[in-house]
Every structure is written in C-alpha cells, then in structure tokens.
Amino acid sequence: MINVNCNATVLSIIDIHGVLTFYDTTQGADKNITGTHLDIERKDVWDMKWSYDNPDMIAIKEKARMFVLTRFEPEEPEVSTTYLCDFKDLEIKAVELDDIMKQPDNPG
C-alpha cells in the first residue's frame, strides 16, 4: 500500500511484510525530489490513512490496535479492528467489515 500526505511532502509505504516506511519528498536545493528514506519504521502495519487537513498526522493499524502518529510520534493506542476510511478535523471514520459481511442487507 502506498499513500502520500495532504501536501505531498511525505510518502508512506506498507510492504508485503507489514513494514511501514516513510520517505521525504520535498525538493532539495537543486530542485530535484530525491525521496529520502526517513529513519522511521513500524512493524505489523496493515492499514494507514493520512489526515486530509494536517500533513503531520497519520492513523495506522498495527495488529488489533490503532495509533495516531503526530510528526511520527505515536499517541496512546486504541483497540480496534476496523478499516480506516477517512481522517480529517481530528476525527477518524472507520468501518467494521466483518459485521457488514455477516449482515450485508442490514449493515446497521
């Protein structure tokens, strides 16, 4: 999974092993974008969503926990197995796909 923050200054990638890595995509002095690998890594990540209005905030899912990272520093995790849909105005919207699949005619 590949995603970019709202002002396109950071690229985030979750590889097939569940390792989340970040790349700085700001222009250097020579006007070239190098995609510098940042020395920040999270393991066992399976979902992520950048905030639509804050380029420093990203919500990530590690196992059955959800973390919000602000400038790559994690806040206290919340227990959650939902899939991330939207993140803006400090509010995260997520869906419980297991419940929807159990009752597709009545998603509740």
Side-chain angles (χ1 to χ4, degrees):
M1 176 183 290
I2 299 173
N3 213 327
V4 67
N5 67 347
C6 65
N7 65 358
T9 58
V10 180
L11 175 78
S12 54
I13 299 173
I14 301 174
D15 67 16
I16 61 171
H17 303 289
V19 178
L20 172 63
T21 53
F22 297 95
Y23 293 86
D24 181 0
T25 60
T26 56
Q27 287 184 344
D30 58 359
K31 301 288 186 197
N32 289 328
I33 297 173
T34 59
T36 306
H37 182 262
L38 300 176
D39 196 26
I40 300 157
E41 189 175 276
R42 304 286 298 203
K43 297 185 187 306
D44 298 321
V45 177
W46 56 272
D47 198 8
M48 66 178 161
K49 181 65 73 175
W50 283 98
S51 171
Y52 287 112
D53 54 1
N54 186 337
D56 295 327
M57 296 184 80
I58 183 172
I60 64 171
K61 301 300 294 278
E62 287 181 6
K63 297 182 181 177
R65 297 177 299 178
M66 178 176 61
F67 290 87
V68 174
L69 306 179
T70 303
R71 292 183 188 91
F72 307 113
E73 292 296 321
E75 296 177 10
E76 286 297 314
E78 294 286 330
V79 175
S80 171
T81 57
T82 59
Y83 289 80
L84 301 171
C85 297
D86 191 33
F87 184 15
K88 65 181 174 183
D89 298 327
L90 299 176
E91 184 175 290
I92 298 169
K93 292 182 184 173
V95 295
E96 186 68 57
L97 287 181
D98 295 339
D99 290 346
I100 292 173
M101 295 306 291
K102 288 178 188 173
Q103 300 178 12
D105 295 331
N106 185 18

